[in-house]
């Protein structure tokens, strides 16, 4: 999606959420420093689909990115402003977030977005005075919550996804069990453990599940779980 227009990128994230992998999200968050609308789309993706991403893999990808602190900013905003869709959603999200942002340092004090607010302008002064406290605590300055129309809505969970997306959510669930192997195993080792071929392992690790059947993913997940 690197050559896609901004509108196409927003649409892809919103309409194909189960195709977004850890590397994709980190890349989009890096780009969002220049694009507040993209930040909004990324934050809402995390709010609604955090559970399809492995937090340890996400953490590893974020630490290797240009702006590691962006995943921290996004997750903190979801936790701080979004209520739970279910009784356990907030608890589960909090646990996931801690793994996703562990060891990621705060940046030097700066605006969240680059090239959006002129330094020394009235807008900059107003943004500083109205800065979101939860971001300011981590040295980031921005006054507007990155949610559509400023409405945070609720944190979603897998139960919500299964009721709405059916087989796509199930495929993502089983793929996540295979992806959990990546923390301690190489791709070739995952191939041996699951019986999946190289191409399918690569697709599963990147949430590119088109062309892979639910049954295939279930068998791979069962093999993955047998050694955990």
């Amino acid at each position: 999606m690197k050559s896609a227009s901004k509108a196409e990128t927003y649409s892809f994230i919103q309409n194909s959420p189960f195709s977004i992998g850890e590397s994709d999200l980190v890349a989009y968050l890096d780009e969002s420093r220049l694009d507040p609308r993209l930040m909004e789309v990324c934050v809402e993706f995390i709010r609604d689909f955090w559970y399809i991403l492995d937090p340890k893999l996400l953490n590893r990808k974020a630490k290797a990115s240009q702006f590691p602190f962006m995943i921290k900013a996004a997750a903190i905003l979801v936790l701080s402003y979004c209520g739970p869709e279910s009784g356990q959603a907030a608890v589960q999200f909090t646990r996931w977030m801690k793994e996703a942002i562990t060891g990621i340092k705060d940046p030097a004090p700066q605006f969240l977005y680059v090239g959006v607010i002129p330094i020394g302008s009235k807008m900059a002064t107003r943004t500083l005075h109205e800065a979101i406290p939860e971001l300011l605590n981590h040295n980031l300055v921005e006054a507007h919550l990155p949610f559509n129309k400023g409405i945070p809505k609720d944190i979603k969970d897998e139960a919500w996804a299964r009721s709405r997306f059916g087989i796509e959510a199930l495929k993502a669930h089983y793929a996540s069990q295979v992806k959990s192997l990546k923390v301690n195993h190489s791709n070739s080792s995952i191939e041996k453990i699951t019986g999946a071929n190289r191409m399918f392992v690569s697709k599963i690790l990147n949430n590119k599940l088109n062309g892979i059947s639910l049954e295939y993913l279930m068998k791979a997940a069962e093999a993955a779980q047998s050694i955990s």
Side-chain angles (χ1 to χ4, degrees):
M1 297 299 292
K2 288 186 178 180
S3 61
S5 69
K6 288 185 177 182
E8 288 171 335
T9 298
Y10 308 153
S11 178
F12 178 71
I13 298 171
Q14 292 171 323
N15 297 320
S16 303
F18 295 99
S19 295
I20 306 299
E22 290 80 5
S23 295
D24 298 318
L25 179 61
V26 166
Y28 290 137
L29 285 169
D30 272 354
E31 294 174 20
S32 72
R33 289 218 72 194
L34 300 170
D35 186 349
R37 171 61 179 149
L38 180 57
M39 181 62 170
E40 178 182 295
V41 172
C42 287
V43 170
E44 293 187 332
F45 168 82
I46 292 171
R47 178 197 65 200
D48 295 345
F49 299 101
W50 56 273
Y51 43 84
I52 72 172
L53 301 178
D54 185 283
K56 292 180 180 178
L57 292 181
L58 182 60
N59 180 263
R60 183 185 299 176
K61 298 292 184 181
K63 286 177 177 175
S65 70
Q66 187 175 4
F67 304 114
F69 56 84
M70 290 302 284
I71 182 60
K72 191 174 185 179
I76 285 171
L77 288 171
V78 171
L79 182 65
S80 300
Y81 290 92
C82 300
E85 174 74 11
S86 67
Q88 290 298 312
V91 174
Q92 293 169 348
F93 178 79
T94 301
R95 188 181 303 120
W96 176 90
M97 185 187 83
K98 286 180 179 178
E99 288 191 289
I101 69 174
T102 187
I104 294 179
K105 298 178 180 179
D106 293 340
Q110 58 192 277
F111 286 107
L112 179 66
Y113 303 119
V114 177
V116 175
I117 301 174
I119 301 299
S121 65
K122 290 183 179 179
M123 181 185 296
T125 301
R126 185 168 63 251
T127 300
L128 283 167
H129 285 309
E130 300 175 359
I132 299 167
E134 291 79 8
L135 290 183
L136 197 58
N137 288 340
H138 296 279
N139 295 337
L140 293 168
V141 180
E142 173 53 33
H144 300 289
L145 288 174
F147 298 100
N148 186 32
K149 299 180 181 179
I151 303 173
K153 297 186 179 180
D154 291 340
I155 298 172
K156 305 300 191 294
D157 58 15
E158 279 196 273
W160 170 84
R162 290 188 189 186
S163 68
R164 184 167 181 175
F165 299 98
I167 192 169
E168 283 187 288
L170 278 174
K171 288 173 70 172
H173 171 76
Y174 289 114
S176 69
Q177 294 179 14
V178 177
K179 286 165 60 179
S180 66
L181 294 174
K182 185 61 179 175
V183 176
N184 297 311
H185 297 274
S186 66
N187 285 24
S188 59
S189 178
I190 296 173
E191 290 171 33
K192 293 177 182 178
I193 292 168
T194 62
N197 63 44
R198 181 181 300 178
M199 181 183 70
F200 276 14
V201 166
S202 178
K203 292 182 72 173
I204 291 169
L205 292 177
N206 290 285
N207 278 7
K208 305 300 182 278
L209 305 180
N210 289 339
I212 305 179
S213 70
L214 176 60
E215 291 74 19
Y216 191 99
L217 288 166
M218 289 174 67
K219 289 179 180 179
E222 184 178 2
Q225 290 297 297
S226 70
I227 69 162
S228 31

